[in-house]
Amino acid sequence: MRSVDEHQRAVAGLITARAPVDVAIGDALGLVLAADVVAPLALPGFDNSAMDGYAVVAEDIADATEEHPVKLPVAEDIPAGRTDPLVLEPGTAHRIMTGAPLPTGATAVIPVEATDGSTETVSIRASVVPGQHVRRAGEDVTPGTTVLHAGQVLTPAALGLAAALGLGSLRVVPRQRVLVMSTGSELVAPGTPLQPGQIYESNAVMLAAAVRDAGADVVTSSTTEDDVDLFRAELQKNAGDADLVITTGGVSAGAYEVVKDSLADEVEFVKVAMQPGMPQGSGVVWGTPIVTLPGNPVSALVSFEVFIRAPLRAAMGLPHPGRPRRPATLLEDLTSPRGRRQFRRGVVDHDGGTVTSYGPPASHHLRWLASADCLLEIAEDVTELAAGSPVQVWDLS
Ligand code: AMP
Ligand code: MG
């Protein structure tokens, strides 16, 4: 049997990053920058008002008080967006709005709250010091500054900064494109009637969601019956559009194992020393890496977590690609098969640092998986764990 670590290395070795591309900033959330971003312009781009009020020469209103207001004629009205160059003559005021360009000659802005708000002759009841309520050009960003760095994840704020700098697109590591294929002649799409012996397909939708949750794109997610010709045709049709193919089902020891029967030349089928998820495979089909997961839904999702999620995220440049792992104290007795690494579903109490396993270890209990928030990892050489033992958990939350 192949060890979990060995199969992790085999899968990770197949998944590689795509070449960087330019992506519109509206589509770049969560992607990783492939190049530093150097500011092409200053922020603010020009001196402008920080308040709604009046642009003045500060000295002109130095003596203004509640009791002795200073009156100035209002020579201009400057809303945000006014683009013509303006000059403020000493002894006058310009009504000005937040973000509007400060007229040449003005040295400060008096907020409207300290005035009578007039548009003809404004009565000003307070003084200002030069520079007050003025945002200076370049005080946030000077041109030529590296403001975002290659390798950082694009957050809403980072995209806002790029937009403020006038950058319509950014050079990023593209998302991996993943083809998800489930197999099984018993499978019927949710929403259609079931015949006796049929079940609803759940792996394709689950793994497609897991792929997206990992930050990657799904090229196609499809289900084929256990027919070698149909399966190979479907695979060949879509593999070229994908960076990775994930299949489920058809890799066990029975008859009608469609994935095994179809890809004997392209895929190395192995038994991995883990539970759930023993039958696994990896290889390359029509130039695209492929990982073949077992069909039991719990095995399929646990296998995705153990073998695919971290290298998929690493290939997109994401920092901390793996699930966080931490020790927790087990609250119950557990057994685990000798020679297999067991992944139990569990529920963690983060405050108390404790964990309980959730549901039976068998690999078809999807309900328990849906309520679990962690995987308990139990080492190959451990067969019994007593309540109170330390155990490693993978945080899925
Ligand atoms: P297999 O690995 O194809 O032998 O499938 C193992 C078990 O998982 C069988 O009970 C299948 O019916 C079930 N199974 C396989 N694929 C799916 C799927 N896509 N959705 C739900 N159950 C599945
Ligand atoms: Mg099957």
Side-chain angles (χ1 to χ4, degrees), residues 326-331 347-356 388-391 393:
R326 52 179 64 97
T329 303
L330 189 62
L331 287 180
V347 175
V348 126
D349 171 0
H350 288 286
D351 297 332
T354 55
V355 64
T356 28
S389 305
V391 64
V393 300

Side-chain angles (χ1 to χ4, degrees), residues 17 19 29 53 63 75 80 90 95-96 98 111 136-137 208 217 257-258 280 285 289 293 301 309 312 329 338 373:
L29 180 65
D63 298 329
R95 194 166 79 130
I96 191 166
T98 306
R136 291 292 173 203
D217 278 336
E257 303 289 4
V258 67
Q280 300 284 344
V285 283
L293 304 180
L301 194 61
R309 192 174 193 274
L312 192 62
T329 303
R338 181 179 303 282
D373 62 11

Side-chain angles (χ1 to χ4, degrees), residues 66-329:
E66 286 285 340
E67 296 76 33
H68 302 288
V70 170
K71 290 183 187 264
L72 296 175
V74 179
E76 285 287 351
D77 195 27
I78 318 177
R82 198 162 161 182
T83 56
D84 51 330
L86 293 170
V87 178
L88 179 93
E89 298 299 338
T92 71
H94 288 182
R95 194 166 79 130
I96 191 166
M97 300 303 143
T98 306
L102 196 73
T104 304
T107 63
V109 172
I110 180 80
V112 66
E113 291 81 0
T115 74
D116 65 356
S118 170
T119 53
E120 318 244 308
T121 300
V122 62
S123 179
I124 299 172
R125 301 188 301 268
S127 59
V128 282
V129 296
Q132 206 170 341
H133 305 308
V134 174
R135 303 161 170 171
R136 291 292 173 203
E139 70 180 24
D140 186 8
V141 175
T142 50
T145 307
T146 300
V147 288
L148 299 171
H149 295 270
Q152 85 177 76
V153 178
L154 289 166
T155 59
L159 295 172
L161 174 59
L165 290 168
L167 303 171
S169 64
L170 292 169
R171 180 139 286 227
V172 298
V173 183
R175 294 184 198 284
Q176 291 277 303
R177 299 162 304 183
V178 181
L179 170 62
V180 176
M181 295 180 69
S182 69
T183 63
S185 296
E186 73 280 28
L187 305 173
V188 172
T192 48
L194 278 183
Q195 304 298 321
Q198 295 182 325
I199 62 169
Y200 284 123
E201 199 294 316
S202 58
N203 286 348
V205 77
M206 178 171 66
L207 287 171
V211 163
R212 292 196 184 97
D213 186 57
D217 278 336
V218 176
V219 179
T220 310
S221 136
S222 66
T223 302
T224 25
E225 18 181 311
D226 294 321
D227 178 293
V228 168
D229 293 335
L230 287 179
F231 174 77
R232 278 189 75 91
E234 180 71 16
L235 181 55
Q236 187 175 15
K237 186 173 82 187
N238 296 313
D241 297 331
D243 305 307
L244 175 68
V245 179
I246 302 175
T247 65
T248 77
V251 292
S252 309
Y256 313 108
E257 303 289 4
V258 67
V259 175
K260 230 178 186 175
D261 296 345
S262 301
L263 300 174
D265 294 336
E266 295 94 337
V267 171
E268 186 182 5
F269 292 99
V270 293
K271 287 184 175 167
V272 175
M274 68 186 270
Q275 186 196 56
M278 184 181 67
Q280 300 284 344
S282 61
V284 177
V285 283
W286 291 289
T288 303
I290 182 168
V291 180
T292 63
L293 304 180
N296 268 308
V298 176
S299 311
L301 194 61
V302 168
S303 301
F304 178 86
E305 287 289 341
V306 173
F307 299 115
I308 299 177
R309 192 174 193 274
L312 192 62
R313 288 169 56 79
M316 294 182 286
L318 290 163
H320 317 296
R323 294 286 192 186
R325 295 179 206 192
R326 52 179 64 97
T329 303

